[in-house]
Amino acid sequence: MKRVKACPNSECSQFHEKHFKESENYCSQCGAKLYYVCKEKDCYQHLPEDSLDAYCAPHLAEWEIKKAERTEKIIDVGSKIFMGLLIVGVATKGVLEAFKQK
């Protein structure tokens, strides 16, 4: 995931803007040192420099929960489709056997 930087200076017009490039280290308006922030909208929690995560811990946990729920739904839908195809296959086999007997 791509990390984002923001300006920490509350006096700056770029305060909490998340459009800075990875290579930029200082704000172009006020000169304050930029820092990494959570990528989630309206969350400006400071992230450590050595961390590779783009989201803060609460949003990262929320994202993992949503990912697990999506995976569970996909497996559930897949099993229902498989069962439907199995029922159709059994019914088709029964119909074919009925025609063979005639």
Side-chain angles (χ1 to χ4, degrees):
M1 289 182 243
K2 184 179 177 188
R3 301 187 311 165
V4 294
K5 292 183 175 182
C7 179
N9 185 358
S10 61
E11 305 287 320
C12 181
S13 63
Q14 301 294 317
F15 180 61
H16 282 170
E17 293 292 322
K18 296 182 180 181
H19 67 275
F20 294 100
K21 295 178 183 175
E22 183 77 23
S23 61
E24 293 182 84
N25 292 322
Y26 296 95
C27 177
S28 58
Q29 296 293 319
C30 68
K33 183 166 175 53
L34 300 176
Y35 60 90
Y36 290 107
V37 294
C38 179
K39 199 172 182 179
E40 187 71 27
K41 184 179 180 183
D42 295 331
C43 180
Y44 301 100
Q45 185 171 349
H46 179 72
L47 299 175
E49 289 287 327
D50 59 345
S51 172
L52 297 177
D53 294 329
Y55 295 93
C56 60
H59 286 119
L60 191 60
E62 182 180 312
W63 185 78
E64 290 292 333
I65 290 169
K66 286 180 182 179
K67 181 180 174 183
E69 288 173 354
R70 283 192 306 265
T71 303
E72 188 176 304
K73 284 182 183 179
I74 289 169
I75 291 171
D76 186 44
V77 168
S79 65
K80 287 179 181 176
I81 290 172
F82 176 75
M83 289 304 292
L85 291 174
L86 186 64
I87 291 169
V88 169
V90 169
T92 304
K93 183 179 178 185
V95 170
L96 290 175
E97 287 179 1
F99 279 124
K100 282 184 181 179
Q101 290 178 355
K102 288 186 180 182

